[in-house]
C-alpha cells in the first residue's frame, strides 16, 4: 500500500452505489433501455462514482465477497465487475494488497469538489462545471490601480492581518449597516474567499461526528468540506426539491437533531436559485435559536438579484401572519436592489448570537480575488481569529485593499450591476436553449444567483455528466449537491455562457441525454471532440 | 453549554500542566524563589495554558475531584485553584454545567497559533510573536505594477486556477531546475501561502489518528494544524535541542512508527535556524523511503542564508563517508548563494515519490502576498489539486502574476538580497542585545532563517512570555514549538527588529526574566506600559 492510498468502506460503497444506479437490484428502469447485465451495471456504478470524485482515486475497494454480501448479489457478479473495471483502467489490483480505484492513463483526475477547467486546458469543451464569470472590467483594473496607490502604508508592515485590514472591515460593516443590519468592524473577519470562511467556522464548531443540518440540495463544495471535517450531515429537503424552504421540516430537524450548526443559502440558493422570504428567515432563525444551533447564512450569491429591484416572486407561506415589522424591507431605497429584497437573515437574530453570515467577492465581483468575510458577534469573531493562525495566516493584502477601494465609492455598485447584466443575459440564453433542445427537463427559472437546477427527465444526472464529458460539455451531476447520493435525477447548469455557446451547450447536453436514454452508455462510444 | 464550548480531557490537562510547571508536585525549584502554595501553582499553570492558547478559551475543565485524582493532590487544592482562577477572570462556572476557561474582560483573546499583533493594535509593544518583516520595497510596488500590466488575459477568465497560473508554475519549476532539481510545471501546485500547502498535504495524508513524525522543536503553526487534523505527532528531538538533526534517532523513529508522513525543515529550521548537510538529507530521505513514509521538506526559509555565499559551518557527520556525488553543491555558482549550499532535500529522492517540497514567498519576500507552493511528483500534484476545490478554490491571481513577474527577471534576487540584509542586521542586533542583557541565556547563532531559539537559563519560557506581555514585549514560549509541552525552558526570538528597538526588547525581556526568577510572578505586578 502506498501512503497515498485511502479506503472506502463496504456500507459506504453500497450506499453510494444504491444512489448512483450501480446497485444491480436498484437499476433504474429507463424506457427503451437495453437490458444491462448485473456485473455491467455494478461496474458502471463504480466508474461513475470514480469519475465524479465521489469515490477518490487510489481508494481500496472492499473484497469481492464482502461487497457481494452487502449488495445481495453473487460473488461472480462482483468479480466480473472488478474484472471489467480493471480492463477499462478504473481499477488496479495486486495479489495480497487488494484492489484500488484508478483512472485510465491520460485521463484527467476527477476532482472531489467543483472546479472549472483551467482556461488553458478547456480547449473546445464548454465548461459548465463552475458558476464563475470573467472579471467585470474595467473595474478590476481600476480597483488594482486604486489599491496600488494605497499600498505604501501596508508595505511597511509585516502584512499579516488575521482579522483583515481595518479599512476593509469598516467598509464591509458599513455595507451591512446600510442593508439594515447595524454592524461594527469588530463584527467582521476577512477570510480567503467564502470557503475560507466556511473552513474557519468548521474548525471552531465541527468536531468529528458533529451534526450539521443543511439544505438538500446545497452547495457541493461546502458539503464536501463539512464531510471532510467529519460532520454528520442532516439533510433538510427543499420544498419539492425546487422552489423554496420547507420551514416545518427545518423546525422539526432542528428540534430533533439539535445540531451544533445549520447551514443555509437563503439568498439565491445554490443550486436551486431560490430566495427565502422574510417570514421564512424569521422562523429559521427562531428555530435555530430554540435548538441552541448556530445558523450559518451563506450570502455569497446575495448581490446577484437578476430580476430588477422588486425582487423575485417567491410566495410567502400563506399560513403565517405578517409580522409587526410590516413590509419591512420595501420602504428603503438605495438604488442597489437591496431595498426591495428581504432583509439579511442576520436581521432576524435580535440577540446577535445565533446567526453567522458569510459573504464573498467571488461571485459578485471576481473569483480571482480571494476575498470573503464573516459577520458575527464580536466574541465569535475573536474566536474565529484566534483559531485561524495555523490554517491560513491572513488574506491577500492587495486584494483586500482593492475590495475596500471598490466599496468606498470606487465602483462596487457599477461592477455588480455589470455582473448582474452578464448573469441575466446568460440565464435567459441558457433557459431558452435548454427549453428548445431538452423539452423534458424541468426547472424553476431563478430570479437571482448563478445556477439552474434541472430535473433531467428521469435520466441519471451522473450518466449525463459522463456522456457530456465525452461530447464536449462538462456539467456536475445532482448527487454532488446532495447527501448520500440524493438528486441522481438532476444536473446543475451555471449562468456562464450566452448566445451561440449556450445553444451549443444545450445541443451537446441533448446528445448526451439521448445517449443515456438509448442505454448506449459509456461503452458504446469512443471519445469525440467538438470545435465550439 | 453554548455551541461554542469545547472540552479539555483530564489526562490531556494533566499532561499539559506537568510541562508548564503548573502541576504542584513538579513545580520547578528556582533559586531564591518564594515558596508557592500548591493551589497557586496549579492556578498559575492553568492561567499560562490559557494565555498561550494551549488550552482554548471556553473549554470545559475536568471536575475538581477528577483533576485532583489525576494530579495526585487534594480536592481542596483544586477547589482553591479554581476559585482563584474565577476571581482572576480565567474561569467561569455555572451550577450543573461545570467550569470553563475564560480571559478577563477586556483582555485580548489568546491565539491558538502564532500571529503578530495587527499593526494598528501594536502600539508601544515590541512584537516578537512572529517572524515576518515589512515588504522589501520598491520591489513590491514594482511587482504589482508589473502584474497590473499583465492582468488583462487573466481578467477575461473565471479566475479560478486550482493548480496555479501556468506562468507561475513554469517560473517555479525553472527555479528548482536551476537549483539542481530538474522540475517540470506539472510538478508544481501553487497554494495560498505555505500553510495552504501544509493543509493540502494533510487533507490527503492525515486521517484522525495518523502518525506524523516531526522535528522537535518544529514550527508552531504547522504542529497545531496537524494536531487539529487529528495527527498523532511523533517527535524526534533535534540533537541537543539546538544544533542539528539526530539522524540515528530519525532512522529509528521512522522504522519503529512507520508514519504516513514526516515533516522536516532542513533549510534554516524553525525555530532553531539549523541547516541540514547533504549527508543528513540523503539519510533522512533514505529512511523515509525505507519506511514507506512521505517526507515533507519545508523550504519556507530556504532563501534566507545570512552568512554569505559559503553557507553555514555545519559539521558533516564524521562517521559517514562522502558519497560518490563528491562536494556536489560547491562547484556551481549562480550568484544567489544557492550554489554553495546543500542541495534541496528533493535532490536525494531519485525515485521522486518520497519527498514533497514546500515553498513560500512569505518569508523570502512578503507575508502580505499569500503565495506558497508544493513541488512533488506529477501524480501527487494531481491528487493535491483534485482534493483542493472544497477547501480553497485557488490562490489570489494578482499575487500569482506578481510573483511570476518577479521570478522572471523582475527583481526576485534583488528583493531577496534586501530581505537577507534586513534579517542579518536584525539578527546581529538581537544577538548582541540578548548577550548584553541576558547573559545566562544560551543559543546557537543561526547562519540563516529568521529565528533564534534561546534557552532561558532555567526559567519557564511560559512565565517569561506572560511577564513580557505585561512589560511590553511579546514572545512565544518554547512549548508552542514542542509536542506535549516540551521545551518549557525556551523562547523563540525572531529577526524582526534592529538597533534601539532590539536593545529595548532585550531590556524588557531581562525585566521579565527578573520578575519570574524572583518568584514575583503575575500576581505581584499590575500592567505596566513602556513607550518605545
Amino acid at each position: 500500500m502506498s501512503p497515498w492510498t485511502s479506503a472506502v468502506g463496504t456500507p459506504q460503497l453500497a450506499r453510494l452505489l444504491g444512489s448512483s444506479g450501480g446497485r444491480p437490484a436498484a437499476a433504474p428502469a429507463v424506457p427503451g433501455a437495453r437490458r444491462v447485465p448485473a456485473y455491467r451495471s455494478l461496474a458502471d456504478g463504480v466508474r461513475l462514482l470514480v469519475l465524479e470524485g465521489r469515490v477518490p482515486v487510489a481508494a481500496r475497494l472492499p473484497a469481492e465477497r464482502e461487497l457481494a454480501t452487502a449488495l445481495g448479489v453473487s460473488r461472480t457478479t462482483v468479480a466480473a465487475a472488478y474484472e471489467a473495471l480493471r480492463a477499462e483502467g478504473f481499477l488496479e489490483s495486486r495479489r495480497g494488497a487488494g484492489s484500488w480505484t484508478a483512472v485510465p492513463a491520460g485521463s484527467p483526475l476527477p476532482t472531489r469538489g467543483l472546479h472549472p477547467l483551467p482556461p488553458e486546458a478547456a480547449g473546445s469543451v464548454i465548461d459548465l462545471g463552475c458558476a464563475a464569470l470573467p472579471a467585470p472590467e474595467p473595474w478590476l483594473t481600476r480597483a488594482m490601480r486604486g489599491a496600488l496607490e494605497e499600498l505604501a502604508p501596508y508595505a511597511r508592515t509585516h502584512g499579516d492581518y488575521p482579522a483583515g485590514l481595518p479599512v476593509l472591515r469598516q467598509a464591509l460593516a458599513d455595507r451591512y449597516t446600510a442593508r439594515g443590519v447595524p454592524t461594527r468592524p469588530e463584527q467582521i473577519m476577512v477570510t480567503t474567499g467564502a470557503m475560507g470562511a466556511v473552513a474557519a467556522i468548521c474548525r471552531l464548531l465541527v468536531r468529528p461526528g458533529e451534526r450539521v443540518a443543511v439544505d438538500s440540495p446545497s452547495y457541493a463544495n461546502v458539503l464536501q468540506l463539512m464531510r471532510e471535517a467529519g460532520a454528520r450531515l442532516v439533510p433538510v429537503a427543499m420544498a419539492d426539491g425546487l422552489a423554496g424552504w420547507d420551514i416545518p421540516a427545518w423546525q422539526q430537524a432542528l428540534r430533533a437533531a439539535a445540531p451544533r450548526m445549520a447551514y443555509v443559502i437563503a439568498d439565491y440558493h445554490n443550486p436551486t436559485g431560490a430566495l427565502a422570504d422574510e417570514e421564512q428567515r424569521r422562523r429559521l432563525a427562531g428555530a435555530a435559536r430554540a435548538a441552541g444551533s448556530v445558523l450559518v447564512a451563506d450570502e455569497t450569491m446575495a448581490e446577484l438579484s437578476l430580476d430588477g429591484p422588486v425582487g423575485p416572486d417567491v410566495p410567502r407561506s400563506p399560513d403565517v401572519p405578517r409580522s409587526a415589522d410590516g413590509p419591512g424591507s420595501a420602504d428603503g431605497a438605495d438604488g442597489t436592489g437591496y431595498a426591495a429584497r428581504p432583509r439579511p437573515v442576520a436581521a432576524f437574530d435580535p440577540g446577535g448570537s445565533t446567526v453567522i453570515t458569510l459573504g464573498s467577492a467571488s461571485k459578485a465581483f471576481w473569483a480571482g480575488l480571494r476575498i470573503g468575510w464573516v459577520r458575527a458577534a464580536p466574541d465569535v469573531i475573536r474566536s474565529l481569529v484566534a483559531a485561524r493562525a495555523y490554517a491560513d495566516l491572513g488574506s491577500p493584502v492587495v486584494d483586500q485593499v482593492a475590495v475596500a477601494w471598490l466599496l468606498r465609492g470606487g465602483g462596487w455598485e457599477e461592477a455588480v450591476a455589470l455582473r448582474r447584466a452578464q448573469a441575466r443575459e446568460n440565464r435567459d440564453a441558457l433557459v431558452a436553449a435548454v427549453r428548445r433542445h431538452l423539452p423534458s427537463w424541468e426547472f424553476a427559472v431563478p430570479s437571482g444567483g448563478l445556477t439552474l437546477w434541472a430535473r433531467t427527465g428521469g435520466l441519471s444526472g451522473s450518466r449525463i455528466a459522463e456522456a457530456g464529458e465525452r461530447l464536449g460539455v462538462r456539467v456536475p451531476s445532482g448527487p454532488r449537491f446532495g447527501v448520500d447520493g440524493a438528486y441522481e435525477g438532476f444536473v446543475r447548469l451555471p449562468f456562464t455562457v450566452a448566445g451561440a455557446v449556450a445553444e451549443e451547450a444545450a445541443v451537446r447536453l441533448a446528445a448526451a441525454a439521448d445517449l443515456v436514454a438509448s442505454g448506449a452508455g459509456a461503452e458504446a462510444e469512443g471519445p469525440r471532440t467538438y470545435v465550439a
Side-chain angles (χ1 to χ4, degrees), chain A residues 86 140 209 228 304 330-331 452 518:
Chain A
R86 264 189 293 273
L140 174 64
E228 297 278 326
L304 294 167
D331 45 9
L452 194 71
S518 75

Side-chain angles (χ1 to χ4, degrees), chain A residues 216-218 238 241-242 269-273 442-444 446 451-455 476-482 486-493 495:
Chain A
S216 172
S218 189
M238 304 289 288
L242 295 172
H269 177 260
N270 187 349
T272 69
E442 298 167 76
F443 49 84
T451 59
L452 194 71
W453 180 239
R455 196 190 289 271
S477 73
R480 286 179 178 261
F481 304 87
Y487 301 104
E488 181 57 44
F490 290 81
V491 296
R492 191 194 74 167
L493 305 173
F495 306 153

